[in-house]
Amino acid sequence: MPTGEDWLNSLKQERNTSNKSWGVALTLSIFLGFLGADRMYAGRIGLGLLKLLTMGGYLIWWVVDIILLLQGRMKDEFGRRIQRK
């Protein structure tokens, strides 16, 4: 039977996890990430536009974002991690 502390930890984990789909974000990142589509999907419109204007940060930012998604470290507009569920 879960203890109160276990329940509290699972609640904290759930609050820190985005409701955005990890699979959609990864697909957008791979195919349209150099245009900022992944950041815009995550709700980070300003970063998405910056990424669009710099062609994915000269493709370096594009690769970094794919790595962040694979590691479950990319965040949405509320600072919650987009993770595989």
Side-chain angles (χ1 to χ4, degrees):
M1 176 138 197
T3 65
E5 188 174 318
D6 291 338
W7 176 80
L8 185 59
N9 287 335
S10 70
L11 184 61
K12 284 180 185 177
Q13 177 70 22
E14 189 175 318
R15 281 189 74 198
N16 290 330
T17 302
S18 176
N19 60 350
K20 303 287 185 184
S21 169
W22 179 83
V24 170
L26 183 62
T27 302
L28 285 171
S29 192
I30 291 170
F31 295 108
L32 297 173
F34 63 95
L35 297 174
D38 52 346
R39 290 288 182 156
M40 290 182 202
Y41 172 74
R44 309 211 47 195
I45 305 300
L47 288 176
L49 290 174
L50 185 60
K51 200 170 169 184
L52 172 66
L53 294 174
T54 62
M55 202 61 157
Y58 305 105
L59 301 180
I60 295 170
W61 194 357
W62 175 51
V63 173
V64 169
D65 278 350
I66 292 172
I67 293 169
L68 287 175
L69 272 165
L70 290 172
Q71 293 177 342
R73 294 176 44 199
M74 183 180 274
K75 295 182 179 181
D76 67 6
E77 73 268 28
F78 300 113
R80 300 176 303 190
R81 291 179 186 244
I82 300 173
Q83 295 180 336
R84 217 181 300 193
K85 295 181 184 177

